[in-house]
Amino acid sequence: MQIHDLEQHFLSKIAEEIKIEPRDWMPDAYRKTLVRQISQHAHSEIVGMLPEGNWITRAPSLKRKAILIAKVQDEAGHGLYLYAATETLGTSREETINDLHTGKAKYSSIFNYPTLTWADMGAIGWLVDGAAIMNQVMLCRTSYGPYARAMVRICKEESFHQRQGFDILLSLSKGSPEQRAMCQDAINRWWWPSLMMFGPKDSDSTHSDQSMKWKIKRMSNDELRQRFIDMIAEQVKVLGMTLPDPDLKWNSERKHYDFGEINWNEFWNVVKGNGPCNKQRIAARKKAWDEGAWVREAAAAYAAKRKRNTQSSTLEAA
Amino acid sequence: MQIHDLEQHFLSKIAEEIKIEPRDWMPDAYRKTLVRQISQHAHSEIVGMLPEGNWITRAPSLKRKAILIAKVQDEAGHGLYLYAATETLGTSREETINDLHTGKAKYSSIFNYPTLTWADMGAIGWLVDGAAIMNQVMLCRTSYGPYARAMVRICKEESFHQRQGFDILLSLSKGSPEQRAMCQDAINRWWWPSLMMFGPKDSDSTHSDQSMKWKIKRMSNDELRQRFIDMIAEQVKVLGMTLPDPDLKWNSERKHYDFGEINWNEFWNVVKGNGPCNKQRIAARKKAWDEGAWVREAAAAYAAKRKRNTQSSTLEAA
Amino acid sequence: MNNQLFNYLLHLADNTLILSHRNSEWCGHGPVLEQDIAITNISLDLLGQARNFYQYAAMLTGNNATEDSLAYLRTEREFKNLLLVEQPNGDWAATILRQFFFSTYQELLYKQLIQCNDAQVAAIAEKGLKEVTYHVRWSSEWVIRLGDGTEESRDRMMVAADELWRFTGEMFIPADYEKEAGISGFGVNVESMQQDWLKKVEAIFEEATLPMPGAAGYMQRGGKEGTHTEHLGYILAAMQYLQRTYPGCEW
Amino acid sequence: MNNQLFNYLLHLADNTLILSHRNSEWCGHGPVLEQDIAITNISLDLLGQARNFYQYAAMLTGNNATEDSLAYLRTEREFKNLLLVEQPNGDWAATILRQFFFSTYQELLYKQLIQCNDAQVAAIAEKGLKEVTYHVRWSSEWVIRLGDGTEESRDRMMVAADELWRFTGEMFIPADYEKEAGISGFGVNVESMQQDWLKKVEAIFEEATLPMPGAAGYMQRGGKEGTHTEHLGYILAAMQYLQRTYPGCEW
């Protein structure tokens, strides 16, 4: 087939909602977009372990500690699925990780904010995972098969995490005045960064159009953000807390909540590497990787020895 | 003068209580004994910083924190005086420190016990410094001039430390039941190791005889130990605490306290390197030294550059 | 309430809690993603075991005790864990070896606890044994892999062995409550397990081409009776901080 | 009570307490015995200054507040120190540079505070200034020595500068209580000090043959208003542990 025919075939599959699979022909730009997006997503899971990992040793009850450890571990698992998905596109895990460490690849900027109190574990679960799910539910229907299937698994766990996060805040909201203050403070700090997670406004988003056509994305940034706001604005009432946006109010015509202006300066600043924890996060990941080098080498050396031994004993037995 | 005359001269000085000074002739064995003893003493100050340093960041009040920091710093200062005293005998600080790290040189075994609670800061001051002072007061009259003079300075500060330690315990003894328990517990753990600080019984002590003749030492291990016990057995009453020795009681004939058998097995075990913290202490010192290597090199390199520059500008000016 | 049973349960609980704590420090910082997950998994298993023991202890002691009051409101001198499990993580070699020493011990222990006369202890051990069997396999494989891997990994394993060996003897020197556990039958007198433990360690060290640490080495002890190394205080300061700062709250 | 003065005093106290804490972590672990003593000395000086500010703040606020209740019973979100002073010690280069950046700032600050209209603040500053003048000299000498020492020491200084520079801007962005301090005259609006600070830093960096960090770099902030880096929580967990565990005791 000619390139042109291949592309037609590819596009008709997309139109018919047939998943693209690793061995299928796909446009270079589609592959590139996927590698960028999936690896960014994988990195977000891995870097995302750090802010929550920060409270594992200080969790205030054994039950909460167990839930938190399991949650952070799930994120490592998600990272694995997603690195595997990038591998189906011909990019090795090492390459992918290297791009993270050099700053070539990005991860979700939300993880460049510090976790300052225990309530942040709740706010991250509720708001950050909540925002992530909006995206991820959409991605369960993304056009690339391995990515869509990874997302189905991930989504199940994430909605669980969101409920756990909400539950942390719910306990705090029913607690002492200090706990209630801690709860409100965390919501105040995480609200706006969560809204930024959906990316720039549609009018300023560079990659969106093509991704929509290829059905990698299936809803726009602004649509997802609005859905999220509508959901959270209701849930926050259950907590008896408020969202830190004086302009937030129900618009009965639009059937949506109106909301205030997002500080896009802050958003771009953090994307550019100037967030409170960008340096710290990458340094922690690099440190783990560099200090693990001898372990990976030893494992490889041992595996090679074993292979040689098995081969030679197979020969001897033959 | 012949060696024999030199030795006579040396011994007559000792007899007349004239201090031996660095440039004076002295028997090799005298010099060796001094280097061993003074460097061991210096190392004890430096290693002794570690168990107390362990509580600086956790001191329970700002006042206690300030006192503790100042105390540990004083120990560093004592280390300096004593390293300087060994240098007067022709041994460099580097050599001396190296002997500590390789295990060739010893330090007081007491510092191989861990500091487990805040009350240990009190018990160390009261018992450990208290025992040290017994020794040090005697050493203010030791025959080697620089050592004796270092001791005079050290003694003043040490008796201050002892009072501070007692004061920590006094506060605890007047405090809550938990504080009182903490106080008694620390006394229980530090009492016997403190008694061991005076070294083996006179009947088992190898170096003592010659040291007494040279007036390096001026009282025997057992004499000093008895003095210490007599003092502490009285002071503990002020605290309303007890010493963990059922055999301890006043002997009105001897005009001294009788006391129970010391566990010499434990003593020799710790001396041999098997105490709870021997490995940890030496590892901490080596780490500080090794990680400081680049700093010392940089300082030396800079000083050398400065010297060259000064010389060349002097030449130019000439 | 049987006070020695209570102490015994705290000992079993503290061991697993503190090692869980140490392992959890790796979470997000492991040398390979798969192993980050594995060590975190072990941390979770141990935490689960700790909770079971604490819950049972809390039930026995009454006084409104809970798993959390036992974990978060006792002080350093009341903790009864082995010195081994509170040692710092060090590098991956030290973490692996600490786990191997402990899991091998724990497997022998739980196998006997299953048959003890306290039904609750036996049930906890039975559930835990499945997990521990996996921990032994996983850590054994890593001991072998690192011992027989590269020169560096081998050196690091020997350093780790030199560092940790002195904390292994304590496992087999019974505290009073362990003696009582053996006599009354609610648990195990650990002395009897030492030979089996040594045999297993020797077998794995041999496969790992590692020399056995000097069997005659002096052994540290005290943890079981609440006399710890200086490391435990820092663990508790972080672990208990919130409970201490906001007393009496629900989380 | 003037609430902004109270906040201002806490800010001054927290800065010195937290940097004292960091420096005190070196005690017993310094690269040379003389410098172990020097850094510990600075730690002591700063602790003394902190106590003076806390005592004054406690007196103003009443409510049985003491220097200890202010230091030991406030939580992370209530601490008002600069982000700079809570950064980990890192190596000797990072510690030196942190001290140099802070002491240079503090010298300018105290020189102005001496003339403020609060006699107590002025007196504390006057006493502190003598100490700080020495801290500036000592840390400047070390910046020069390490910058112009070996290749390694120079590299380490550049790494330290890259790491710490982003925390220096906060010193000169006034919090509300600093603005009020300038207006009411009980303290200093720090904005005015930035140029002098830069000049001093440039002069020392030049002598140290070190390049100045990119002046345009983005600056982190938040500490003054209680939004810290993740490091402070661990400092407080250790520092406050005893007071939190045994509430209401005398020590």
Side-chain angles (χ1 to χ4, degrees), chain D residues 180-199:
Chain D
E180 182 61 29
I183 293 166
S184 298
F186 58 73
V188 179
N189 186 334
V190 284
E191 273 174 300
S192 62
M193 293 160 33
Q194 187 156 24
Q195 286 315 310
D196 285 343
W197 183 84
L198 269 174
K199 234 183 276 171

Side-chain angles (χ1 to χ4, degrees), chain B residues 162-181:
Chain B
Q162 204 211 359
R163 277 204 300 280
Q164 289 168 341
F166 188 77
D167 190 57
I168 287 174
L169 296 183
L170 197 60
S171 290
L172 294 175
S173 76
K174 293 177 187 163
S176 69
E178 289 82 4
Q179 286 177 304
R180 289 181 54 79

Side-chain angles (χ1 to χ4, degrees), chain B residues 300-316:
Chain B
Y302 178 75
K305 269 188 214 177
R306 286 281 297 228
K307 209 173 156 194
R308 273 200 306 278
N309 290 350
T310 317
Q311 285 171 339
S312 57
S313 52
T314 314
L315 286 176
E316 278 165 32

Side-chain angles (χ1 to χ4, degrees), chain C residues 2 4-5 8 109 112-113 115-117 174-192:
Chain C
N2 180 331
Q4 294 298 48
L5 172 56
Y8 188 59
L109 178 68
Q112 291 199 40
L113 282 183
Q115 286 145 28
C116 79
N117 65 21
D176 285 349
Y177 49 79
E178 285 173 302
K179 288 182 191 153
E180 182 60 31
I183 293 166
S184 299
F186 58 73
V188 179
N189 186 335
V190 285
E191 273 174 301
S192 62

Side-chain angles (χ1 to χ4, degrees), chain A residues 97-118:
Chain A
I97 287 177
N98 195 41
D99 285 350
L100 170 67
H101 295 174
T102 59
K104 198 179 143 194
K106 298 285 180 209
Y107 54 90
S108 179
S109 275
I110 193 80
F111 301 118
N112 292 319
Y113 291 88
T115 53
L116 300 181
T117 74
W118 170 252

Side-chain angles (χ1 to χ4, degrees), chain A residues 50-300:
Chain A
L50 300 172
E52 289 176 288
N54 185 41
W55 282 88
I56 286 176
T57 59
R58 293 178 291 172
S61 77
L62 297 180
K63 184 181 137 202
R64 292 291 180 201
K65 188 194 283 273
I67 292 171
L68 180 60
I69 295 177
K71 184 194 168 179
V72 182
Q73 195 196 27
D74 281 348
E75 287 161 8
H78 299 174
L80 267 190
Y81 306 158
L82 291 163
Y83 284 128
T86 57
E87 284 174 321
T88 64
L89 293 159
T91 313
S92 76
R93 201 202 293 187
E94 231 124 29
E95 252 176 285
T96 311
I97 287 177
N98 195 41
D99 285 350
L100 170 67
H101 295 174
T102 59
K104 198 179 143 194
K106 298 285 180 209
Y107 54 90
S108 179
S109 275
I110 193 80
F111 301 118
N112 292 319
Y113 291 88
T115 53
L116 300 181
T117 74
W118 170 252
D120 291 9
M121 298 303 99
I124 288 181
W126 180 44
L127 297 176
V128 176
D129 293 343
I133 290 169
M134 289 286 150
N135 237 319
Q136 287 163 355
V137 165
M138 165 188 81
L139 289 171
C140 291
R141 297 184 298 121
T142 194
S143 58
Y144 185 59
Y147 191 23
R149 289 187 292 273
M151 275 303 140
V152 172
R153 294 175 70 178
I154 290 173
C155 270
K156 277 188 205 145
E157 295 179 356
E158 287 288 8
S159 62
F160 201 56
H161 295 166
Q162 204 212 358
R163 278 204 299 279
Q164 291 168 339
F166 188 77
D167 191 57
I168 288 175
L169 295 184
L170 197 59
S171 289
L172 295 175
S173 76
K174 293 177 187 162
S176 69
E178 288 82 4
Q179 287 178 303
R180 289 182 54 78
M182 197 186 274
C183 179
Q184 182 65 59
D185 170 56
I187 294 170
N188 291 349
R189 280 182 290 111
W190 291 95
W191 171 247
W192 291 106
S194 301
L195 296 191
M196 296 177 198
M197 287 177 69
F198 296 95
K201 283 188 197 175
D202 294 347
S203 50
D204 301 327
S205 180
T206 45
H207 299 296
S208 286
D209 270 11
Q210 184 61 63
S211 287
M212 294 283 269
K213 278 184 204 143
W214 281 333
K215 293 184 181 168
I216 294 176
K217 286 186 72 158
R218 312 193 61 131
M219 286 175 79
S220 80
N221 294 354
D222 286 338
E223 281 175 282
L224 290 165
R225 182 160 29 231
Q226 182 70 58
R227 265 195 190 201
F228 175 71
I229 291 170
D230 291 349
M231 178 179 84
I232 299 296
E234 289 302 315
Q235 293 177 352
V236 75
K237 294 176 189 169
V238 181
L239 297 175
M241 299 283 148
T242 58
L243 297 173
D245 179 357
D247 296 330
L248 187 85
K249 58 171 163 290
W250 180 251
N251 180 328
S252 53
E253 267 173 56
R254 291 208 303 129
K255 303 272 181 233
H256 285 297
Y257 276 88
D258 291 337
F259 56 98
E261 189 57 31
I262 291 171
N263 181 349
W264 293 109
N265 267 348
E266 176 178 328
F267 174 76
W268 290 114
N269 236 322
V270 180
V271 170
K272 272 189 292 182
N274 296 325
C277 302
N278 298 57
K279 282 200 166 205
Q280 183 187 335
R281 298 297 183 231
I282 289 295
R285 287 308 314 155
K286 270 167 104 165
K287 183 164 182 277
W289 186 252
D290 293 345
E291 290 183 356
W294 71 269
V295 179
R296 296 189 300 274
E297 281 158 24

